Amino acid sequence: IDGGSSARGMDAPVAKVTWAAFVLAIIATVMMQTSNFFRGICGLRSSLEGKTESVAEERQKNLDACKRVAVLGFVGNLFLLGVQIVTGVAGNSVALVAKAVESFGDLIGDGVSYLSIQQAHKPASSTHQFGHGKFESLGALSIAVLLVVAAYEAARNSLEALTMASQGATFAGPTMIALYGAVASVLIKE
């Protein structure tokens, strides 16, 4: 189970925890995809049967679906963040730690999405005669700014590491636990 990690000095309990996290990530991914598949089939069936709803009911359904997606994204990114931090630090992988920072940014983005969707779906009022739809655009803009800042920091840290390496600094390579974390990360996110 430890994937040959004893040769690299990783303890067996850490390897077992990582392996368990990897298996849980696969199970969670399969469950989410199966749920999405059946939810899509149910929606298709009701639209083919000609079931129609009022505008208010449709608006509420859309709001509920958007909130579910934002919450599901938040929970998935929170789990992914934990897997990436644990495996990145334990597996000596700078790339996974950087990926964890990106996942943290995704968590913030999910929160912004949830709040902007909630505000955007408010009906028109006396102060906002055309509704609150621009909140969604403001949320998208703030997420874009967050991504630019995260990209800048990742590039800066990578250049710093490359500079140190070119000056003769040596770095220990990643271990098998980092591989488990990277595979789990791909299966969960992609």
Side-chain angles (χ1 to χ4, degrees):
I1 280 185
D2 70 343
S5 61
S6 59
R8 289 191 165 90
M10 185 189 346
D11 358 75
V14 172
K16 288 179 182 178
V17 168
T18 304
W19 186 251
F22 177 70
V23 170
L24 284 174
I26 292 172
I27 292 169
T29 303
V30 169
M31 288 174 57
M32 285 189 293
Q33 294 301 328
T34 304
S35 171
N36 291 339
F37 174 75
F38 285 115
R39 190 176 300 129
I41 287 176
C42 292
L44 178 64
R45 195 171 89 203
S46 65
S47 67
L48 290 175
E49 292 172 355
K51 295 181 181 176
T52 58
E53 300 170 341
S54 71
V55 173
E57 289 172 339
E58 185 69 28
R59 183 181 188 91
Q60 186 61 43
K61 252 178 108 171
N62 288 341
L63 175 61
D64 292 343
C66 289
K67 284 182 176 180
R68 266 195 314 271
V69 167
V71 169
L72 183 62
F74 185 86
V75 170
N77 282 324
L78 185 63
F79 180 71
L80 185 61
L81 174 68
V83 168
Q84 289 170 338
I85 285 177
V86 168
T87 58
V89 171
N92 197 29
S93 174
V94 176
L96 273 178
V97 172
K99 201 69 174 128
V101 171
E102 180 194 352
S103 292
F104 180 71
D106 289 346
L107 278 177
I108 293 172
D110 290 334
V112 169
S113 293
Y114 184 86
L115 294 174
S116 64
I117 288 167
Q118 191 172 16
Q119 291 298 316
H121 277 80
K122 285 185 177 178
S125 65
S126 61
T127 57
H128 298 89
Q129 293 86 6
F130 299 106
H132 297 80
K134 291 297 177 188
F135 274 103
E136 208 163 345
S137 299
L138 290 172
L141 177 64
S142 64
I143 292 169
V145 168
L146 179 70
L147 289 172
V148 168
V149 170
Y152 168 78
E153 284 299 316
R156 187 179 64 79
N157 288 338
S158 296
L159 286 174
E160 187 177 294
L162 286 172
T163 303
M164 289 174 60
S166 69
Q167 295 172 352
T170 59
F171 300 97
T175 62
M176 284 303 290
I177 195 169
L179 177 63
Y180 295 147
V183 171
S185 178
V186 167
L187 289 174
I188 293 169
K189 191 72 172 191
E190 309 306 325

